[in-house]
Amino acid sequence: MALPVVLLASPRSFCAGVERAVEIVEHLLEQRGGPIHVRKQIVHNTHVVAGLEARGAVFVDELDEVPDGATVVFSAHGVSPAVRAEAARRDLAVVDATCPLVTKVHAEARRFVARGDTVVLIGHAGHEEVEGTLGEAPDRIVLVATVEDVARLEVADPARVSYLTQTTLAVDETTEVVAALKAKFPALRGPASDDICYATTNRQEAVRDVARDADLVLVVGSANSSNSVRLVELARRQGTPAHLIDDVSEIRPEWLDGVRVIGLSAGASAPPELVDEVIEELGAWDVQVRETTRETITFTLPSAVRPR
């Protein structure tokens, strides 16, 4: 049987925001030693979290699990003002690993609320990024996920409505929700630039490209990674079977029956070495990189962890 051809989507794996967040924890562990407490998973990937735990990071759900005066890192997904206030009250040494693109959404939420708008946040309930953004003004920001949610939405003043989005959504589905909002609220205003981050958009375009020519798409990423799940959904919407795998151990042999061309990508929080392991396991005789764009964005580290 011929070994499969792999179409390797590019860009894939770590984005600048994830690299920054992981580096922050790594630098703190090097500079201060463990334990370094991190509120929530620093990024949504089981391998990244396990690796940092092995080095002395302690991941907690809430700040009441962090000793008074200890160092705590806020994850890449951001936190609400209430969490920041609690950290200050307890004299915690905060190092903020929030992705700058998530910080942008928070700033927009504050600005839109300040001008008197009801803010409609498009996103997934329960996601940490969404909870943080909603926390900027819980009585003025409402959450929707679908066109059906928009149809049921009522606001105090239909002439004063703006919208924001979670940074890791599917571009095409979000476009449909925004169109429904504009149809319902003709005066709708939005951000000056898209909130869906460059890395999410780029990885979706790359998967769309490989899915056209693949018999199967595999996406490396954890189940709680929103951007990874969106990549699988996108491939399936194009009619290509697709599966999310945390690592090579989750590949099921029956998926590969009759498959000659496999599209391979990884979510923005998945380490690139996991992709290499999948390629090795597949024994592909031909690996073709499909680069749709080249990413050059980097984010600086907070002053607290920059090498001196």
Side-chain angles (χ1 to χ4, degrees), residues 146-187:
T146 65
V147 170
E148 291 72 25
D149 291 340
V150 174
R152 294 188 291 267
L153 182 62
E154 299 294 335
V155 299
D157 184 353
R160 302 197 64 84
V161 181
S162 56
Y163 77 91
L164 298 169
T165 76
Q166 183 180 333
T167 62
T168 55
L169 299 179
V171 175
D172 51 358
E173 291 187 324
T174 304
T175 299
E176 294 175 359
V177 178
V178 172
L181 283 169
K182 289 179 177 177
K184 185 164 185 173
F185 307 111

mmCIF file of all heavy atoms in Angstrom, residues 146-187:
data_model
loop_
_atom_site.group_PDB
_atom_site.id
_atom_site.type_symbol
_atom_site.label_atom_id
_atom_site.label_comp_id
_atom_site.label_asym_id
_atom_site.label_seq_id
_atom_site.Cartn_x
_atom_site.Cartn_y
_atom_site.Cartn_z
ATOM 1 N N THR A 146 -24.903 32.728 17.656
ATOM 2 C CA THR A 146 -25.492 32.294 16.384
ATOM 3 C C THR A 146 -26.440 33.347 15.835
ATOM 4 O O THR A 146 -26.842 34.289 16.537
ATOM 5 C CB THR A 146 -26.274 30.994 16.574
ATOM 6 O OG1 THR A 146 -27.402 31.254 17.447
ATOM 7 C CG2 THR A 146 -25.403 29.896 17.174
ATOM 8 N N VAL A 147 -26.829 33.145 14.589
ATOM 9 C CA VAL A 147 -27.833 34.004 13.963
ATOM 10 C C VAL A 147 -29.150 33.920 14.730
ATOM 11 O O VAL A 147 -29.866 34.916 14.880
ATOM 12 C CB VAL A 147 -28.027 33.595 12.486
ATOM 13 C CG1 VAL A 147 -29.225 34.305 11.871
ATOM 14 C CG2 VAL A 147 -26.750 33.882 11.682
ATOM 15 N N GLU A 148 -29.446 32.733 15.249
ATOM 16 C CA GLU A 148 -30.675 32.556 16.031
ATOM 17 C C GLU A 148 -30.638 33.385 17.312
ATOM 18 O O GLU A 148 -31.668 33.951 17.728
ATOM 19 C CB GLU A 148 -30.881 31.076 16.357
ATOM 20 C CG GLU A 148 -31.215 30.195 15.165
ATOM 21 C CD GLU A 148 -30.040 29.954 14.234
ATOM 22 O OE1 GLU A 148 -28.868 30.038 14.702
ATOM 23 O OE2 GLU A 148 -30.281 29.692 13.034
ATOM 24 N N ASP A 149 -29.472 33.471 17.927
ATOM 25 C CA ASP A 149 -29.330 34.321 19.112
ATOM 26 C C ASP A 149 -29.627 35.775 18.777
ATOM 27 O O ASP A 149 -30.253 36.497 19.561
ATOM 28 C CB ASP A 149 -27.907 34.218 19.683
ATOM 29 C CG ASP A 149 -27.602 32.871 20.291
ATOM 30 O OD1 ASP A 149 -28.559 32.146 20.631
ATOM 31 O OD2 ASP A 149 -26.405 32.549 20.422
ATOM 32 N N VAL A 150 -29.167 36.205 17.626
ATOM 33 C CA VAL A 150 -29.405 37.591 17.198
ATOM 34 C C VAL A 150 -30.899 37.842 17.021
ATOM 35 O O VAL A 150 -31.424 38.900 17.410
ATOM 36 C CB VAL A 150 -28.649 37.893 15.892
ATOM 37 C CG1 VAL A 150 -29.024 39.287 15.362
ATOM 38 C CG2 VAL A 150 -27.145 37.799 16.104
ATOM 39 N N ALA A 151 -31.603 36.886 16.462
ATOM 40 C CA ALA A 151 -33.042 37.048 16.232
ATOM 41 C C ALA A 151 -33.804 37.257 17.534
ATOM 42 O O ALA A 151 -34.807 37.980 17.574
ATOM 43 C CB ALA A 151 -33.587 35.831 15.487
ATOM 44 N N ARG A 152 -33.300 36.658 18.615
ATOM 45 C CA ARG A 152 -33.975 36.777 19.910
ATOM 46 C C ARG A 152 -33.502 37.988 20.713
ATOM 47 O O ARG A 152 -34.063 38.280 21.768
ATOM 48 C CB ARG A 152 -33.733 35.506 20.736
ATOM 49 C CG ARG A 152 -34.366 34.247 20.166
ATOM 50 C CD ARG A 152 -34.233 33.089 21.140
ATOM 51 N NE ARG A 152 -32.845 32.651 21.259
ATOM 52 C CZ ARG A 152 -32.310 31.677 20.524
ATOM 53 N NH1 ARG A 152 -33.043 31.047 19.616
ATOM 54 N NH2 ARG A 152 -31.048 31.329 20.702
ATOM 55 N N LEU A 153 -32.508 38.676 20.236
ATOM 56 C CA LEU A 153 -31.860 39.722 21.015
ATOM 57 C C LEU A 153 -32.711 40.992 21.102
ATOM 58 O O LEU A 153 -33.237 41.472 20.099
ATOM 59 C CB LEU A 153 -30.503 40.070 20.383
ATOM 60 C CG LEU A 153 -29.658 41.125 21.082
ATOM 61 C CD1 LEU A 153 -29.288 40.670 22.493
ATOM 62 C CD2 LEU A 153 -28.401 41.408 20.264
ATOM 63 N N GLU A 154 -32.839 41.520 22.308
ATOM 64 C CA GLU A 154 -33.505 42.808 22.527
ATOM 65 C C GLU A 154 -32.543 43.714 23.285
ATOM 66 O O GLU A 154 -31.873 43.274 24.217
ATOM 67 C CB GLU A 154 -34.793 42.623 23.337
ATOM 68 C CG GLU A 154 -35.838 41.736 22.672
ATOM 69 C CD GLU A 154 -36.415 42.343 21.398
ATOM 70 O OE1 GLU A 154 -36.383 43.591 21.280
ATOM 71 O OE2 GLU A 154 -36.883 41.570 20.540
ATOM 72 N N VAL A 155 -32.488 44.983 22.897
ATOM 73 C CA VAL A 155 -31.585 45.933 23.558
ATOM 74 C C VAL A 155 -32.365 47.187 23.942
ATOM 75 O O VAL A 155 -33.456 47.455 23.420
ATOM 76 C CB VAL A 155 -30.407 46.314 22.638
ATOM 77 C CG1 VAL A 155 -29.585 45.082 22.270
ATOM 78 C CG2 VAL A 155 -30.881 47.037 21.389
ATOM 79 N N ALA A 156 -31.797 47.969 24.844
ATOM 80 C CA ALA A 156 -32.480 49.165 25.344
ATOM 81 C C ALA A 156 -32.676 50.201 24.252
ATOM 82 O O ALA A 156 -33.740 50.816 24.145
ATOM 83 C CB ALA A 156 -31.681 49.755 26.511
ATOM 84 N N ASP A 157 -31.663 50.416 23.417
ATOM 85 C CA ASP A 157 -31.737 51.424 22.359
ATOM 86 C C ASP A 157 -31.136 50.842 21.093
ATOM 87 O O ASP A 157 -29.907 50.773 20.948
ATOM 88 C CB ASP A 157 -30.971 52.682 22.777
ATOM 89 C CG ASP A 157 -31.091 53.802 21.752
ATOM 90 O OD1 ASP A 157 -31.661 53.566 20.663
ATOM 91 O OD2 ASP A 157 -30.613 54.919 22.032
ATOM 92 N N PRO A 158 -31.970 50.428 20.132
ATOM 93 C CA PRO A 158 -31.466 49.808 18.906
ATOM 94 C C PRO A 158 -30.565 50.731 18.082
ATOM 95 O O PRO A 158 -29.826 50.255 17.211
ATOM 96 C CB PRO A 158 -32.742 49.461 18.132
ATOM 97 C CG PRO A 158 -33.809 49.375 19.171
ATOM 98 C CD PRO A 158 -33.451 50.416 20.192
ATOM 99 N N ALA A 159 -30.595 52.019 18.360
ATOM 100 C CA ALA A 159 -29.757 52.962 17.626
ATOM 101 C C ALA A 159 -28.351 53.070 18.227
ATOM 102 O O ALA A 159 -27.480 53.724 17.645
ATOM 103 C CB ALA A 159 -30.410 54.337 17.586
ATOM 104 N N ARG A 160 -28.152 52.464 19.387
ATOM 105 C CA ARG A 160 -26.843 52.537 20.045
ATOM 106 C C ARG A 160 -26.359 51.124 20.379
ATOM 107 O O ARG A 160 -26.435 50.674 21.536
ATOM 108 C CB ARG A 160 -26.906 53.404 21.304
ATOM 109 C CG ARG A 160 -27.374 54.832 21.056
ATOM 110 C CD ARG A 160 -27.031 55.747 22.214
ATOM 111 N NE ARG A 160 -25.577 55.876 22.391
ATOM 112 C CZ ARG A 160 -24.836 56.739 21.705
ATOM 113 N NH1 ARG A 160 -25.377 57.538 20.802
ATOM 114 N NH2 ARG A 160 -23.532 56.800 21.923
ATOM 115 N N VAL A 161 -25.906 50.448 19.347
ATOM 116 C CA VAL A 161 -25.428 49.070 19.491
ATOM 117 C C VAL A 161 -24.089 48.933 18.761
ATOM 118 O O VAL A 161 -23.929 49.423 17.644
ATOM 119 C CB VAL A 161 -26.424 48.051 18.903
ATOM 120 C CG1 VAL A 161 -25.909 46.617 19.085
ATOM 121 C CG2 VAL A 161 -27.794 48.202 19.541
ATOM 122 N N SER A 162 -23.154 48.291 19.402
ATOM 123 C CA SER A 162 -21.886 47.966 18.749
ATOM 124 C C SER A 162 -21.575 46.499 19.000
ATOM 125 O O SER A 162 -22.195 45.857 19.839
ATOM 126 C CB SER A 162 -20.760 48.867 19.266
ATOM 127 O OG SER A 162 -20.657 48.785 20.670
ATOM 128 N N TYR A 163 -20.611 45.976 18.255
ATOM 129 C CA TYR A 163 -20.287 44.557 18.426
ATOM 130 C C TYR A 163 -18.782 44.347 18.518
ATOM 131 O O TYR A 163 -17.973 45.141 18.019
ATOM 132 C CB TYR A 163 -20.861 43.714 17.279
ATOM 133 C CG TYR A 163 -20.064 43.798 15.989
ATOM 134 C CD1 TYR A 163 -19.025 42.895 15.728
ATOM 135 C CD2 TYR A 163 -20.332 44.778 15.043
ATOM 136 C CE1 TYR A 163 -18.283 42.982 14.568
ATOM 137 C CE2 TYR A 163 -19.598 44.871 13.879
ATOM 138 C CZ TYR A 163 -18.578 43.964 13.642
ATOM 139 O OH TYR A 163 -17.828 44.056 12.491
ATOM 140 N N LEU A 164 -18.427 43.262 19.179
ATOM 141 C CA LEU A 164 -17.059 42.775 19.279
ATOM 142 C C LEU A 164 -17.092 41.262 19.079
ATOM 143 O O LEU A 164 -18.157 40.650 19.173
ATOM 144 C CB LEU A 164 -16.467 43.091 20.650
ATOM 145 C CG LEU A 164 -16.340 44.562 21.041
ATOM 146 C CD1 LEU A 164 -16.001 44.687 22.523
ATOM 147 C CD2 LEU A 164 -15.272 45.236 20.193
ATOM 148 N N THR A 165 -15.929 40.671 18.845
ATOM 149 C CA THR A 165 -15.908 39.214 18.705
ATOM 150 C C THR A 165 -14.767 38.610 19.502
ATOM 151 O O THR A 165 -13.731 39.241 19.728
ATOM 152 C CB THR A 165 -15.750 38.766 17.230
ATOM 153 O OG1 THR A 165 -14.392 38.944 16.814
ATOM 154 C CG2 THR A 165 -16.672 39.527 16.302
ATOM 155 N N GLN A 166 -14.988 37.372 19.922
ATOM 156 C CA GLN A 166 -13.915 36.544 20.459
ATOM 157 C C GLN A 166 -12.842 36.421 19.380
ATOM 158 O O GLN A 166 -13.151 36.373 18.183
ATOM 159 C CB GLN A 166 -14.497 35.184 20.821
ATOM 160 C CG GLN A 166 -13.547 34.203 21.461
ATOM 161 C CD GLN A 166 -14.248 32.890 21.774
ATOM 162 O OE1 GLN A 166 -15.464 32.849 21.983
ATOM 163 N NE2 GLN A 166 -13.484 31.802 21.788
ATOM 164 N N THR A 167 -11.589 36.335 19.768
ATOM 165 C CA THR A 167 -10.514 36.376 18.776
ATOM 166 C C THR A 167 -10.312 35.067 18.020
ATOM 167 O O THR A 167 -9.605 35.047 17.004
ATOM 168 C CB THR A 167 -9.169 36.740 19.441
ATOM 169 O OG1 THR A 167 -8.829 35.733 20.397
ATOM 170 C CG2 THR A 167 -9.231 38.102 20.108
ATOM 171 N N THR A 168 -10.921 33.965 18.473
ATOM 172 C CA THR A 168 -10.612 32.654 17.905
ATOM 173 C C THR A 168 -11.792 32.019 17.176
ATOM 174 O O THR A 168 -11.882 30.794 17.068
ATOM 175 C CB THR A 168 -10.117 31.704 19.006
ATOM 176 O OG1 THR A 168 -11.093 31.642 20.055
ATOM 177 C CG2 THR A 168 -8.798 32.176 19.579
ATOM 178 N N LEU A 169 -12.691 32.820 16.646
ATOM 179 C CA LEU A 169 -13.888 32.297 15.993
ATOM 180 C C LEU A 169 -13.616 31.922 14.536
ATOM 181 O O LEU A 169 -12.633 32.353 13.935
ATOM 182 C CB LEU A 169 -15.004 33.336 16.042
ATOM 183 C CG LEU A 169 -15.473 33.774 17.426
ATOM 184 C CD1 LEU A 169 -16.574 34.824 17.290
ATOM 185 C CD2 LEU A 169 -15.977 32.582 18.236
ATOM 186 N N ALA A 170 -14.548 31.145 13.967
ATOM 187 C CA ALA A 170 -14.511 30.856 12.531
ATOM 188 C C ALA A 170 -14.923 32.103 11.770
ATOM 189 O O ALA A 170 -15.975 32.694 12.037
ATOM 190 C CB ALA A 170 -15.444 29.695 12.202
ATOM 191 N N VAL A 171 -14.107 32.503 10.812
ATOM 192 C CA VAL A 171 -14.348 33.757 10.100
ATOM 193 C C VAL A 171 -15.671 33.735 9.355
ATOM 194 O O VAL A 171 -16.467 34.687 9.436
ATOM 195 C CB VAL A 171 -13.192 34.045 9.121
ATOM 196 C CG1 VAL A 171 -13.490 35.278 8.279
ATOM 197 C CG2 VAL A 171 -11.885 34.226 9.878
ATOM 198 N N ASP A 172 -15.953 32.656 8.624
ATOM 199 C CA ASP A 172 -17.168 32.636 7.798
ATOM 200 C C ASP A 172 -18.435 32.638 8.642
ATOM 201 O O ASP A 172 -19.399 33.353 8.337
ATOM 202 C CB ASP A 172 -17.161 31.457 6.827
ATOM 203 C CG ASP A 172 -16.871 30.124 7.494
ATOM 204 O OD1 ASP A 172 -16.643 30.099 8.713
ATOM 205 O OD2 ASP A 172 -16.873 29.095 6.782
ATOM 206 N N GLU A 173 -18.439 31.865 9.751
ATOM 207 C CA GLU A 173 -19.629 31.841 10.604
ATOM 208 C C GLU A 173 -19.832 33.182 11.305
ATOM 209 O O GLU A 173 -20.967 33.645 11.476
ATOM 210 C CB GLU A 173 -19.515 30.719 11.636
ATOM 211 C CG GLU A 173 -19.610 29.336 11.022
ATOM 212 C CD GLU A 173 -19.655 28.250 12.071
ATOM 213 O OE1 GLU A 173 -18.975 28.405 13.107
ATOM 214 O OE2 GLU A 173 -20.380 27.267 11.868
ATOM 215 N N THR A 174 -18.741 33.830 11.706
ATOM 216 C CA THR A 174 -18.848 35.124 12.368
ATOM 217 C C THR A 174 -19.386 36.173 11.409
ATOM 218 O O THR A 174 -20.181 37.039 11.797
ATOM 219 C CB THR A 174 -17.470 35.562 12.904
ATOM 220 O OG1 THR A 174 -16.976 34.535 13.773
ATOM 221 C CG2 THR A 174 -17.565 36.868 13.670
ATOM 222 N N THR A 175 -18.990 36.085 10.157
ATOM 223 C CA THR A 175 -19.503 37.017 9.138
ATOM 224 C C THR A 175 -21.013 36.927 9.040
ATOM 225 O O THR A 175 -21.706 37.948 8.908
ATOM 226 C CB THR A 175 -18.861 36.705 7.775
ATOM 227 O OG1 THR A 175 -17.440 36.868 7.877
ATOM 228 C CG2 THR A 175 -19.392 37.640 6.694
ATOM 229 N N GLU A 176 -21.560 35.725 9.150
ATOM 230 C CA GLU A 176 -23.017 35.545 9.091
ATOM 231 C C GLU A 176 -23.693 36.202 10.296
ATOM 232 O O GLU A 176 -24.749 36.831 10.154
ATOM 233 C CB GLU A 176 -23.353 34.046 9.057
ATOM 234 C CG GLU A 176 -22.894 33.332 7.798
ATOM 235 C CD GLU A 176 -23.148 31.835 7.871
ATOM 236 O OE1 GLU A 176 -23.671 31.374 8.914
ATOM 237 O OE2 GLU A 176 -22.827 31.137 6.900
ATOM 238 N N VAL A 177 -23.100 36.068 11.470
ATOM 239 C CA VAL A 177 -23.694 36.657 12.666
ATOM 240 C C VAL A 177 -23.638 38.181 12.597
ATOM 241 O O VAL A 177 -24.605 38.867 12.946
ATOM 242 C CB VAL A 177 -22.995 36.129 13.939
ATOM 243 C CG1 VAL A 177 -23.583 36.794 15.186
ATOM 244 C CG2 VAL A 177 -23.140 34.617 14.039
ATOM 245 N N VAL A 178 -22.518 38.720 12.123
ATOM 246 C CA VAL A 178 -22.401 40.178 11.987
ATOM 247 C C VAL A 178 -23.428 40.691 10.985
ATOM 248 O O VAL A 178 -24.062 41.741 11.205
ATOM 249 C CB VAL A 178 -20.972 40.573 11.565
ATOM 250 C CG1 VAL A 178 -20.908 42.066 11.236
ATOM 251 C CG2 VAL A 178 -19.981 40.239 12.666
ATOM 252 N N ALA A 179 -23.618 39.961 9.887
ATOM 253 C CA ALA A 179 -24.619 40.373 8.893
ATOM 254 C C ALA A 179 -26.013 40.398 9.504
ATOM 255 O O ALA A 179 -26.811 41.314 9.224
ATOM 256 C CB ALA A 179 -24.571 39.430 7.697
ATOM 257 N N ALA A 180 -26.327 39.423 10.359
ATOM 258 C CA ALA A 180 -27.637 39.392 11.016
ATOM 259 C C ALA A 180 -27.781 40.571 11.967
ATOM 260 O O ALA A 180 -28.866 41.184 12.067
ATOM 261 C CB ALA A 180 -27.811 38.074 11.763
ATOM 262 N N LEU A 181 -26.713 40.920 12.669
ATOM 263 C CA LEU A 181 -26.760 42.085 13.561
ATOM 264 C C LEU A 181 -26.991 43.369 12.779
ATOM 265 O O LEU A 181 -27.777 44.236 13.184
ATOM 266 C CB LEU A 181 -25.451 42.187 14.358
ATOM 267 C CG LEU A 181 -25.282 41.231 15.535
ATOM 268 C CD1 LEU A 181 -23.843 41.269 16.047
ATOM 269 C CD2 LEU A 181 -26.254 41.579 16.662
ATOM 270 N N LYS A 182 -26.307 43.513 11.650
ATOM 271 C CA LYS A 182 -26.468 44.718 10.837
ATOM 272 C C LYS A 182 -27.876 44.829 10.270
ATOM 273 O O LYS A 182 -28.425 45.936 10.158
ATOM 274 C CB LYS A 182 -25.435 44.727 9.702
ATOM 275 C CG LYS A 182 -24.018 44.969 10.184
ATOM 276 C CD LYS A 182 -23.024 44.953 9.024
ATOM 277 C CE LYS A 182 -21.612 45.274 9.511
ATOM 278 N NZ LYS A 182 -20.617 45.189 8.421
ATOM 279 N N ALA A 183 -28.456 43.686 9.936
ATOM 280 C CA ALA A 183 -29.821 43.702 9.412
ATOM 281 C C ALA A 183 -30.814 44.107 10.499
ATOM 282 O O ALA A 183 -31.800 44.811 10.237
ATOM 283 C CB ALA A 183 -30.179 42.333 8.848
ATOM 284 N N LYS A 184 -30.554 43.686 11.721
ATOM 285 C CA LYS A 184 -31.481 43.982 12.822
ATOM 286 C C LYS A 184 -31.238 45.366 13.397
ATOM 287 O O LYS A 184 -32.188 46.038 13.829
ATOM 288 C CB LYS A 184 -31.328 42.926 13.915
ATOM 289 C CG LYS A 184 -32.341 43.080 15.054
ATOM 290 C CD LYS A 184 -32.430 41.830 15.892
ATOM 291 C CE LYS A 184 -33.537 41.948 16.942
ATOM 292 N NZ LYS A 184 -33.750 40.679 17.660
ATOM 293 N N PHE A 185 -29.985 45.794 13.417
ATOM 294 C CA PHE A 185 -29.629 47.103 13.983
ATOM 295 C C PHE A 185 -28.848 47.896 12.933
ATOM 296 O O PHE A 185 -27.610 47.848 12.889
ATOM 297 C CB PHE A 185 -28.778 46.928 15.249
ATOM 298 C CG PHE A 185 -29.391 46.027 16.290
ATOM 299 C CD1 PHE A 185 -28.831 44.791 16.578
ATOM 300 C CD2 PHE A 185 -30.537 46.419 16.987
ATOM 301 C CE1 PHE A 185 -29.393 43.961 17.538
ATOM 302 C CE2 PHE A 185 -31.106 45.595 17.953
ATOM 303 C CZ PHE A 185 -30.535 44.365 18.224
ATOM 304 N N PRO A 186 -29.530 48.608 12.050
ATOM 305 C CA PRO A 186 -28.861 49.300 10.942
ATOM 306 C C PRO A 186 -27.780 50.290 11.384
ATOM 307 O O PRO A 186 -26.857 50.567 10.615
ATOM 308 C CB PRO A 186 -30.021 50.024 10.239
ATOM 309 C CG PRO A 186 -31.233 49.212 10.581
ATOM 310 C CD PRO A 186 -31.004 48.728 11.972
ATOM 311 N N ALA A 187 -27.878 50.808 12.600
ATOM 312 C CA ALA A 187 -26.873 51.762 13.086
ATOM 313 C C ALA A 187 -25.695 51.073 13.767
ATOM 314 O O ALA A 187 -24.858 51.739 14.381
ATOM 315 C CB ALA A 187 -27.528 52.751 14.049
#
